[in-house]
Structures are given as C-alpha cells and as structure tokens.
Amino acid sequence: MAVPQDVAASGTTVAAGSVLEWIDKAAYACAVGWSASDTVTAYVGNVHFTRPIKPGNLVEVHARIIHTGRTSMHVLVTVETTDVRAREYSPATHCILVFVAVDDAGKPREVPTWIPHSEVDRSLQQNAQARLEPRKRIQSIMRAAEYTEEGSTPRTIFRFLAAPADANWGGNAHGGTVMRWIDEAAFATAAAWSSESAVAVYSGGIHFYRPIHIGHIVEVDARLIHTGHRSMHISIRVHSGSPRNPHDLQLTTACMSIFVAIGADGHAEPVTPLTLITSEDKALDEQARTLIALRAPLAMMPVELFRRP
C-alpha cells in the first residue's frame, strides 16, 4: 500500500522516486533469482509514468526476464494499482532494467540463457533486442555532453553522504535509492521553473557507471536543458567520491527526466520557454532534441502482453 512517506511534495500523488525504488527492488529480486548470484543495476530505461498513483492505493509490481546476454539480464517491470475497495488493477508504469550478475569479488559472471517459449516471450525479447543499438548511441551522446560553469540554465545540486541505510547487499548504495535521489533533484529543478505541481512523466537512459560506496560524498546535479510547450527536460548527473578527496568526485550515474506541471484541471500546463544564453546552453538543448529524435522511432514495449500469472 502506498503510504504517506511515499507521497510527492504536492501531497496528492506518490513520488516518482518511490515508484522507481519499488521497480528496482522487484527487478533485482527477479535478476537474482534467475542468475543465482548477486547482481548490480547497469541501466534503467523507458520509464513511462502513464497514470499517477494515489496515497492509499494498493500497488503490485511485477518483474520478468525478457532477454539475457552473456552476463546481463533484461527485466521488464510493470506497476499496477487499484483503489483498496475496488481490487481492479490498472497499469501505472512500466520500464526495462538491465542487471549484470557479479561474483563474490564483484566481477561479472555468466548467467543462464533465457529462451522464449511463446509468442509473447518472443515479442518481448525482440523489443528488448531492438533497443540495444539505440541505447548505445544514447549513452554515447549523454557521455559526450559537457557540463561546466558556463551553463546558465536553472540547476539544483544536492550534496550529502551515502548512509548505511542506503546500502544494498553488496555494501553500496542501492540502485533504487540512487534513482530516488535523481528524482528528488529533478523535481526541485522542475518545481522552481514551473510549480510544486510538477510531476515526472518519463525517465530514460539511466546509466549506472560505477557504484556509490557507503560513507562517500554524493553530489546530485540536475539541470534544465530543454523545454517543450508543456514539458521540462532535465539532465541529472550523480558524482561520488571519498570525503578525503572531495574535489575529485567521479561520475556514477546519468539520466534524463521529463516533467510536466499539472494544472487545476488535471492536465499539463504550458511552461515558460527556456532562454538559451551560452554556447553550452545551446549544445545541451540540441542534445535533448537529438535524444528525442532517437527515441521517437522505438516501438513501445508491448506491456499489454504481460499478464500477471
């Protein structure tokens, strides 16, 4: 059940960060069950928040393997919700996560090959395979982008220590917890530009490059880089490192989130256009437009085929 602690700042819906934590936990359990080993989150993409989750709703999160590589597992997760009195579940969110199996030394290890046994299995696997090459291009574009003090667009920076309560079984920050930090920083940026009614409608290209160790400094940097008529595209980058060397933080995670501001009628309101002043502002705006164009041709994941057992 979605409880008050899960609710966003608006108080009317569950925060996207809470949903992302649930997604990561379900997918992790699925990946561990398949590989019979510990796993780490490598990528989260195609997170579509299709319907808000209200406080007090019952929530079901379902995860299943849809493709495997030599050491990787692609997991489809769907989130369904219902009013506690109705018990008729409706889709709210879905996404794909990629986990890598690791041994006791933290090194990648091979996983059993998943073989599709039905048309549904094959359809889901084909969709996952079709995203492999575009994902590499998206990652390359995101890694190549430069973020310096030259940028003049709105920005939010959170800085804190990774606490023991944030740890996963391997002693590093849980992937779902990192995604919650990302959502919180992105929300602060979107709310400052629009209103506190800002909500996430999409999060994609969440790449995990290295683990965040407990006790290390965490810096979450969210920057508004592009606006549409009703949308705010926010790039978030997470850096981390030892407190003994606070000026040498390494990139651990990067992603792009899209927010809208919900009006009194329940629909997205127009947002103030972003003014691009510096060459970096213009380059990051172009990056966002390129990512939009790359994602546009991708077929939607056929989640309607994914039924609860």
Side-chain angles (χ1 to χ4, degrees), residues 25 35 53 58 65 67 75 123 150 180 197 209 246 301 305:
K25 289 178 180 179
S35 63
I53 300 174
L58 291 179
I65 301 288
H67 178 63
V75 183
S123 178
E150 181 191 348
R180 173 168 54 80
S197 66
Y209 300 116
M301 176 60 67
L305 301 176

Side-chain angles (χ1 to χ4, degrees), residues 66-68 74 96 114 116 121-135 298 301:
I66 60 172
H67 178 63
T68 54
H74 298 237
I96 298 174
W114 180 78
D121 288 348
R122 282 185 280 274
S123 178
L124 294 173
Q125 184 185 61
Q126 289 168 5
N127 190 289
Q129 291 173 322
R131 296 174 182 274
L132 295 176
E133 189 56 38
R135 183 179 303 147
L298 295 177
M301 176 60 67

Side-chain angles (χ1 to χ4, degrees), residues 58-62 77-82 89-90 93 308:
L58 291 179
V59 181
E60 287 192 358
V61 187
H62 303 272
V77 177
T78 61
V79 180
E80 299 182 351
T81 68
T82 182
Y89 287 86
S90 300
T93 309
R308 299 196 302 275

Side-chain angles (χ1 to χ4, degrees), residues 96-147:
I96 298 174
L97 298 89
V98 180
F99 285 80
V100 174
V102 294
D103 58 22
D104 292 340
K107 302 296 184 181
R109 54 165 292 181
E110 293 189 13
V111 301
T113 300
W114 180 78
I115 300 173
H117 293 291
S118 67
E119 286 302 318
V120 170
D121 288 348
R122 282 185 280 274
S123 178
L124 294 173
Q125 184 185 61
Q126 289 168 5
N127 190 289
Q129 291 173 322
R131 296 174 182 274
L132 295 176
E133 189 56 38
R135 183 179 303 147
K136 292 178 182 178
R137 296 176 61 190
I138 290 170
Q139 181 179 19
S140 176
I141 291 170
M142 293 178 67
R143 285 297 295 266
E146 294 187 4
Y147 295 80

